[in-house]
Amino acid sequence: MRIRVQLVWVFFFFLSGIGYAQKVGLVFSGGAAKGLAHIGVLKALEENEIPIDYVVGTSMGGIVAGCYAAGMSPDQIEALVLSDDFLRWVNGQPEKGFNYYYNKPDDNGSFVRFDLSLDSALSLNINTAIASDLTLNFALAERLAQPTATARNNFDSLFIPLRVVAAEIFTQTQVILRSGLLSDALRATQTVPLFYSPIRIDGKFLFDGGVYNNFPVDVAQSEFQPEIIIGSNVSSKVYQDYPFGEDEKLISRSLLYMLLDKSDPSKIPSNGVYIQPNLERYTAFDFARAKSLIDSGYVQTLRQMAEIKSRIAPASLRPCDVVAARRNQFNSRNKPLLIDHLRFDGFTPGQQRYISRFFKRYDRPLNLRDTKAGYFNLMSTRFFQTIYPRIFLQEDEKFALEFSRRPLNDFQLDFGGVIATRSISHIFLGLNYFHFNRALTHGEANFYAGNFYKSVQLKARINVPNAGQFFIEPQATFNDWDYLQSRDLLFGRFNPTVLRRIDRMVGVSLGRPIGELYRASVHAFHLNNDDEFIDTKVLVSTDTLDELSLDGSRYGLSISTNTLNRKQYADDGTAIRFSIDRFNLLQRWEPGSTSVTAEDVRSQANWWRLRLTLEQYFKRGVYSSGLYLDGVFSNQKPFANYFSTISSAPAFLPLQDSRTLLLRNFRAFNFVAAGWRNVLSLRKNLDFRLEGYLFKPFESIVESRVQQAALVRDITQVYFAGTAGLVLHSPVGPVSLSVNYYDDPANQWNMLLHVGFLVFNRPSLD
């Protein structure tokens, strides 16, 4: 009898061993771009029916774990990070279709910007974040609002129970996030200090969890007590030996390297499995190589699949169709993402009304497209790019979009300039101040200082989101150009241009958006220009200069757009500008000693001008081709003499240094011009450019025997310009070495090396 009872107990014990379902916890380390390999780990585990009962992650491991816990399949997560949108999130660029041009500022020579904020104690604080998070923040809020609502803000009620690790640096402790908005948790855990701005959760600023726990195996054990832990670590020492010769370039990333070296494989218990994909060929910034990173995680997990299955009882295996059915059941409970309410945290009533008007033109509730349109329209003004968005379900079971006020950038300081092998080098300084209440006012002052070019520009743009949104922009610009200084420091120049031009422009512009990509503006300016020049090719010390003065008004209309990916040496995007202008100027000319005429000229110069410029790139992989078109049509007449006419005529300026040269053959009152740009990416940030252009004047401006301007029609006359060179896109702007050719006797060939942006304020006659 006793033997029979013992056999029964053995039988039941055997059955219980077969039917016992082990709980498996999955842990993902931080590692920036390398963390994308965790997606491959997930794919391999699901395909081989390995159960996943809990997920814990830090930094990028927290992002992947959170997306999985939110009900996304490994294939869906992979498709997401392989999309064009993903790189835009990482780089802080708006999603396609939401790149609003209306608030885009004019290009200037800056290559670095410091964002400053003034607090209530009148202390000036520097925003130390070097990356924009405006697109990433909305992407997380948008994609995680529904599963957060389904789980009622409880991470245990997600598709897979989740823990996310963050860091609180003031008390130097880790923070385990178990509830709240999932988007907040994932945003907090990847906030690398100095790279992204931190966000507040429960009143505390939180940072990247890798600061204190980059491989949170202990969190999985204490929170979930799983029988089996599978740990995927993508963090390893970046350099086994000190990187002599590279350390200066790498020091700016030192904080990230410190975070990447905190993973300890020994944390995995003896009955667990440690997975470390081979990622030696990748860096923490290789987001563009997402597919290879995912494949590395997938391959390594398959290599260890026998080991993994040896730890897990056969009864615990979970078929793919069972997992898919559970995931579908969870996702089917998601409520439609429609925004019924706008909420504000930290804004005055006047500021709330201003922000709300960006969403007024859309019907309530807001669908996702309209919500994005309002958000990215608002964020197209740099001042608002520190605002943090949240999407959550309210007590009335309707979604709300909340804007939280982080320190706003009241002050911005721009610095830049250019160093060149011709004496066109200069420095640039820009000062910006913002005042925000019922309207947004942006005051701006920028300064250029160099031998060839000096400039001061003052602007005050008032953005008013009433009557469909418009701006008022008074401005004053002073430009000083000295073409005699534009000499070649390496090879010299034998035919310098003796021209000193000072142009002044004071007036106002009124503008409004046209759709998402275009801006229309009307403008009225008072112009006052002074030119000093000679009428011969040789200047001697006893010569006196001709003096030309232009004084009067300019008013007109312009329509423009610009989606180029760079303000100089672009290889993607489109820029279009159409303008129509009326000039009413009083011309006063006093001849100098080089003039054959001794009589002063005082006359009225009135004309209309239409101009259309198009720059369009077609990018395919490492090669990009660009079309450049320019055309001018006007009824402008010659001025007092030839040189005053040619210097004031519209110019075709296709190359980077065209504005620093007086190209007589590329100026005409009426012309069409076209060019083709070829850009080959040799390696990351290094391009080879080959460009060619044709310029066709309808009437060439030529000099008569008595130094007068004559208009000559020649249907066969066409002028050529071209360039070939290398461009390195560096943190301080482009580094360009080029050989340039112009079909112009005085400036035919030149070689130019420059570092920084060759960008100038717009001249008064342009």
Side-chain angles (χ1 to χ4, degrees):
M1 181 69 178
R2 179 179 295 177
I3 296 174
R4 188 175 299 173
V5 171
Q6 288 177 339
L7 288 174
V8 171
W9 276 111
V10 169
F11 177 74
F12 277 103
F13 179 79
F14 178 75
L15 286 180
S16 65
I18 295 177
Y20 176 61
Q22 296 166 301
K23 296 295 184 180
V24 177
L26 185 58
V27 179
F28 289 151
S29 75
K34 292 184 178 182
L36 299 178
H38 296 314
I39 302 171
V41 175
L42 276 175
K43 286 181 62 178
L45 293 176
E46 271 210 2
E47 289 175 4
N48 286 273
E49 302 183 349
I50 304 301
I52 301 172
D53 299 289
Y54 315 107
V55 284
V56 179
T58 290
S59 195
M60 182 55 76
I63 296 283
V64 176
C67 289
Y68 186 72
M72 297 177 65
S73 70
D75 288 339
Q76 289 174 321
I77 303 173
E78 179 180 27
L80 188 66
V81 301
L82 295 181
S83 67
D84 291 337
D85 282 340
F86 179 74
L87 285 180
R88 290 176 174 270
W89 302 344
V90 173
N91 296 324
Q93 299 172 336
E95 293 185 12
K96 283 188 176 180
F98 300 98
N99 192 357
Y100 288 86
Y101 173 67
Y102 170 70
N103 290 311
K104 183 180 176 68
D106 293 334
D107 290 336
N108 58 42
S110 70
F111 56 71
V112 64
R113 168 167 288 178
F114 300 97
D115 294 327
L116 312 173
S117 60
L118 195 66
D119 63 21
S120 57
L122 300 182
S123 297
L124 202 60
N125 302 308
I126 300 178
N127 180 4
T128 56
I130 61 175
S132 170
D133 60 1
L134 70 97
T135 307
L136 175 65
N137 292 341
F138 191 86
L140 291 173
E142 166 200 342
R143 283 163 174 78
L144 301 175
Q146 291 168 293
T148 300
T150 299
R152 298 295 170 175
N153 295 354
N154 183 354
F155 293 178
D156 285 335
S157 299
L158 291 166
F159 168 62
I160 299 292
L162 168 74
R163 293 295 182 266
V164 177
V165 180
E168 199 280 279
I169 62 173
F170 296 111
T171 59
Q172 299 182 7
T173 56
Q174 76 173 9
V175 177
I176 301 173
L177 299 173
R178 307 176 178 89
S179 61
L181 295 183
L182 185 54
S183 58
D184 281 357
L186 301 197
R187 174 61 180 79
T189 192
Q190 55 87 55
T191 304
V192 177
L194 304 182
F195 194 78
Y196 283 127
S197 296
I199 66 166
R200 285 185 187 271
I201 297 181
D202 295 332
K204 299 178 181 179
F205 282 118
L206 299 186
F207 289 86
D208 193 310
V211 173
Y212 300 121
N213 192 349
N214 200 48
F215 194 33
V217 175
D218 56 333
V219 175
Q221 291 173 315
S222 62
E223 291 287 314
F224 297 121
Q225 298 86 42
E227 285 81 9
I228 304 295
I229 288 183
I230 300 174
S232 174
N233 175 38
V234 298
S235 177
S236 59
K237 285 189 179 297
V238 183
Y239 294 95
Q240 299 298 327
D241 300 311
Y242 190 86
F244 291 104
E246 297 183 80
D247 49 0
E248 289 187 6
K249 293 188 298 181
L250 300 171
I251 193 65
S252 63
R253 300 176 178 177
S254 58
L255 180 61
L256 185 57
Y257 294 140
M258 291 170 63
L259 296 179
L260 297 182
D261 293 342
K262 290 185 178 293
S263 298
D264 183 4
S266 65
K267 287 185 175 182
I268 298 291
S270 58
N271 66 333
V273 179
Y274 177 74
I275 300 173
Q276 180 157 3
N278 182 3
L279 304 176
E280 291 182 359
R281 297 180 296 124
Y282 305 98
T283 73
F285 300 91
D286 277 338
F287 289 99
R289 304 174 70 184
K291 179 60 178 173
S292 297
L293 288 163
I294 295 170
D295 290 345
S296 296
Y298 182 80
V299 169
Q300 183 60 40
T301 306
L302 290 182
R303 287 187 183 133
Q304 296 181 236
M305 191 54 63
E307 177 191 2
I308 295 170
K309 288 189 173 182
S310 71
R311 300 284 195 275
I312 298 173
S316 297
L317 296 179
R318 197 165 294 158
C320 296
D321 56 346
V322 172
V323 175
R326 284 188 55 224
R327 181 179 290 119
N328 291 337
Q329 183 182 22
F330 176 83
N331 290 328
S332 68
R333 294 158 51 200
N334 289 341
K335 297 174 65 68
L337 188 56
L338 298 172
I339 306 299
D340 282 84
H341 306 283
L342 292 180
R343 293 184 56 173
F344 301 90
D345 179 17
F347 293 96
T348 67
Q351 293 171 337
Q352 293 179 27
R353 285 193 292 271
Y354 181 95
I355 295 174
S356 296
R357 290 190 181 104
F358 284 85
F359 301 88
K360 287 288 188 183
R361 62 194 177 111
Y362 306 113
D363 295 331
R364 298 293 177 88
L366 298 170
N367 60 34
L368 185 57
R369 166 78 191 185
D370 293 345
T371 304
K372 280 187 177 181
Y375 174 80
F376 283 108
N377 193 357
L378 177 67
M379 295 299 153
S380 63
T381 301
R382 185 178 176 91
F383 174 73
F384 293 116
Q385 292 181 7
T386 58
I387 290 178
Y388 182 73
R390 289 183 171 92
I391 300 177
F392 56 88
L393 195 67
Q394 295 194 140
E395 293 181 358
D396 62 1
E397 296 296 309
K398 295 180 179 179
F399 283 102
L401 170 62
E402 180 184 80
F403 292 104
S404 295
R405 185 185 188 277
R406 295 186 284 181
L408 297 177
N409 300 325
D410 304 307
F411 297 90
Q412 293 174 356
L413 176 64
D414 295 327
F415 180 79
V418 66
I419 299 173
T421 53
R422 286 187 13 226
S423 56
I424 55 177
S425 303
H426 57 256
I427 60 173
F428 171 84
L429 178 66
L431 305 174
N432 302 269
Y433 170 71
F434 293 87
H435 176 72
F436 176 44
N437 195 13
R438 295 182 180 179
L440 176 66
T441 302
H442 174 198
E444 177 183 1
N446 63 58
F447 307 88
Y448 292 82
N451 290 330
F452 166 71
Y453 179 66
K454 302 175 182 66
S455 180
V456 177
Q457 185 176 74
L458 305 176
K459 288 183 180 181
R461 175 164 166 167
I462 305 170
N463 284 312
V464 183
N466 291 324
Q469 202 175 14
F470 70 94
F471 69 79
I472 304 169
E473 186 177 71
Q475 65 171 283
T477 304
F478 170 88
N479 291 318
D480 184 344
W481 317 78
D482 191 350
Y483 287 84
L484 182 59
Q485 298 294 332
S486 179
R487 62 185 182 276
D488 196 317
L489 300 178
L490 291 181
F491 304 104
R493 178 171 303 162
F494 301 103
N495 296 306
T497 300
V498 181
L499 171 63
R500 171 79 180 277
R501 159 163 288 177
I502 296 176
D503 68 81
R504 309 171 188 87
M505 183 170 62
V506 178
V508 64
S509 299
L510 285 81
R512 61 169 299 146
I514 302 178
E516 298 173 355
L517 297 179
Y518 289 86
R519 178 173 67 205
S521 65
V522 294
H523 50 264
F525 296 106
H526 178 78
L527 277 55
N528 182 252
N529 294 2
D530 292 314
D531 290 357
E532 295 180 339
F533 53 86
I534 63 172
D535 299 296
T536 60
K537 294 183 178 179
V538 179
L539 174 69
V540 297
S541 59
T542 58
D543 284 338
T544 59
L545 305 181
D546 291 22
E547 295 183 8
L548 173 70
S549 174
L550 299 175
D551 189 86
S553 63
R554 169 187 178 176
Y555 50 90
L557 163 72
S558 68
I559 299 173
S560 58
T561 186
N562 188 334
T563 62
L564 298 179
N565 61 336
R566 302 185 184 101
K567 57 185 169 185
Q568 194 169 23
Y569 300 114
D571 66 355
D572 195 15
T574 303
I576 302 172
R577 180 179 174 84
F578 168 79
S579 63
I580 178 170
D581 284 281
R582 173 68 179 179
F583 295 85
N584 294 320
L585 302 177
L586 176 62
Q587 171 193 190
R588 291 189 294 265
W589 175 63
E590 296 180 8
S593 61
T594 61
S595 173
V596 299
T597 302
E599 296 181 0
D600 294 356
V601 172
R602 180 186 177 96
S603 63
Q604 197 71 28
N606 304 323
W607 72 91
W608 288 92
R609 186 181 70 203
L610 280 75
R611 186 162 195 165
L612 175 64
T613 305
L614 166 68
E615 186 175 357
Q616 171 73 62
Y617 289 92
F618 308 91
K619 189 172 178 62
R620 294 291 183 273
V622 298
Y623 173 70
S624 177
S625 60
L627 175 66
Y628 189 85
L629 301 175
D630 194 7
V632 171
F633 303 92
S634 75
N635 61 348
Q636 186 175 353
K637 303 299 181 184
F639 280 9
N641 69 352
Y642 167 73
F643 198 93
S644 63
T645 299
I646 202 73
S647 65
S648 301
F652 177 55
L653 308 169
L655 305 187
Q656 71 275 52
D657 69 335
S658 296
R659 194 173 288 282
T660 67
L661 303 169
L662 187 70
L663 302 165
R664 304 189 186 201
N665 286 347
F666 290 83
R667 289 174 174 262
F669 296 144
N670 295 275
F671 68 79
V672 292
W676 197 257
R677 297 174 171 176
N678 300 275
V679 187
L680 180 64
S681 179
L682 302 179
R683 53 175 298 180
K684 185 178 181 181
N685 295 329
L686 180 63
D687 296 338
F688 171 73
R689 299 182 71 97
L690 181 65
E691 306 173 15
Y693 304 88
L694 296 176
F695 174 81
K696 171 58 187 168
F698 296 134
E699 293 177 320
S700 298
I701 303 174
V702 299
E703 184 177 9
S704 70
R705 294 181 180 178
V706 291
Q707 298 176 346
Q708 295 299 302
L711 303 181
V712 176
R713 288 191 175 184
D714 184 350
I715 195 170
T716 64
Q717 187 64 66
V718 177
Y719 298 97
F720 174 77
T723 183
L726 297 171
V727 179
L728 174 67
H729 301 284
S730 77
V732 294
V735 180
S736 170
L737 175 63
S738 63
V739 176
N740 305 321
Y741 173 81
Y742 295 99
D743 200 354
D744 191 90
N747 303 283
Q748 200 163 39
W749 288 97
N750 74 71
M751 179 178 289
L752 178 65
L753 170 65
H754 76 88
V755 180
F757 294 102
L758 272 172
V759 177
F760 309 93
N761 286 328
R762 189 178 295 275
S764 61
L765 292 179
D766 262 17

